[in-house]
Amino acid sequence: MAKRTFLFFLTSLLVFSCKKEDELTFSEIQVTTNNNTIVEVFIPKATGNKATSKAINTEIENFIASLLEIGEPKAKTKPSSLTKQIEAFNSEYTNFIKDFPEVTQLWEAQIDGEVIYQSKDIVSIAITAYLNTGGAHGNTNISFLNFDAATGKRILKEKLITNTKAFTNIAKTYFNEELTDKSILFEPESFTLPENIGISEEGIILLYNTYEIAPYASGIIEFTIPFEKIKNYLIFNSF
């Protein structure tokens, strides 16, 4: 009997250990290079299930690398690594100063990522990027990256919603409330969902970046729809 009890305990311990190793967790890391002086990148790094965490980490790094591209995106067989893109951003600045030595304004890029929601089904990450490449002012953009917590694959906004028409009708009422004192670049009747839809503990976040629908002075426009209002129209029901 004692032997059987020990074997049961050992099996339970192994199963528990495997579950802990497989559990998806996040920590903040800084990404930089030896020659970097103007780019700051702090992002969440997934650990746990190897395949899932690798997929998430790769998607995050590729996305941030694309934010650091100067000029028109170049055709490539695969994205530049984040460290290479940080070096390229610094090189672009160095070349710019050589061509225009009278310019004293520094370029800068500050990128921060954080996990804003995590469940057994989905992970939502917000990427806040401030870039200034010598213009009158820098520009801040917020992007939401949503991932399937089981596979690590990115879920595009269209795949988050099962009934776009019903979801849009509800979103429009919250949008109208948010815009009581702001000017926008289209008629409210022409309402469309934003490019960025994220998830928080309070509900579904809809966010329009600067210039997306309103002048610069209006800044970023965002509002949150509580889960109970739209839970029937979301691909995951664990909210």
Side-chain angles (χ1 to χ4, degrees), residues 154-199:
R154 187 173 171 187
I155 306 170
L156 299 180
K157 70 169 187 176
E158 296 83 6
K159 300 297 182 181
L160 280 174
I161 304 163
T162 59
N163 187 328
T164 303
K165 184 176 181 180
F167 181 91
T168 301
N169 287 336
I170 294 173
K172 187 175 183 299
T173 62
Y174 284 84
F175 174 80
N176 290 339
E177 291 175 6
E178 178 67 21
L179 288 184
T180 53
D181 60 347
K182 293 185 176 74
S183 59
I184 57 174
L185 301 178
F186 63 84
E187 294 298 322
E189 292 72 23
S190 304
F191 171 78
T192 56
L193 296 176
E195 289 300 314
N196 285 290
I197 298 179
I199 305 165

Side-chain angles (χ1 to χ4, degrees), residues 80 88 91 115 170 189 209 214:
S80 296
S91 295
V115 178
I170 294 173
E189 292 72 23
N209 277 300

Side-chain angles (χ1 to χ4, degrees), residues 8 13 63 97 127 131 143 156 163 194 197-198 226 231:
F8 174 77
L13 184 62
F63 180 81
I97 291 301
I127 306 291
L131 271 71
S143 304
L156 299 180
N163 187 328
I197 298 179
K231 63 182 180 181

Side-chain angles (χ1 to χ4, degrees), residues 83-176:
T83 52
K84 285 184 178 178
Q85 202 58 54
I86 290 173
E87 289 286 357
F89 191 91
N90 277 268
S91 295
E92 287 283 351
Y93 171 67
T94 301
N95 293 334
F96 177 79
I97 291 301
K98 286 180 180 177
D99 293 337
F100 304 97
E102 70 280 3
V103 177
T104 58
Q105 184 178 354
L106 286 175
W107 286 17
E108 60 179 319
Q110 299 174 0
I111 300 175
D112 291 284
E114 65 173 321
V115 178
I116 57 174
Y117 185 86
Q118 183 178 2
S119 72
K120 65 181 180 63
D121 293 320
I122 193 166
V123 176
S124 189
I125 294 174
I127 306 291
T128 302
Y130 171 80
L131 271 71
N132 190 336
T133 53
H137 53 73
N139 193 33
T140 298
N141 273 272
I142 299 175
S143 304
F144 295 127
L145 307 183
N146 302 302
F147 297 94
D148 186 315
T151 65
K153 292 183 178 179
R154 187 173 171 187
I155 306 170
L156 299 180
K157 70 169 187 176
E158 296 83 6
K159 300 297 182 181
L160 280 174
I161 304 163
T162 59
N163 187 328
T164 303
K165 184 176 181 180
F167 181 91
T168 301
N169 287 336
I170 294 173
K172 187 175 183 299
T173 62
Y174 284 84
F175 174 80
N176 290 339

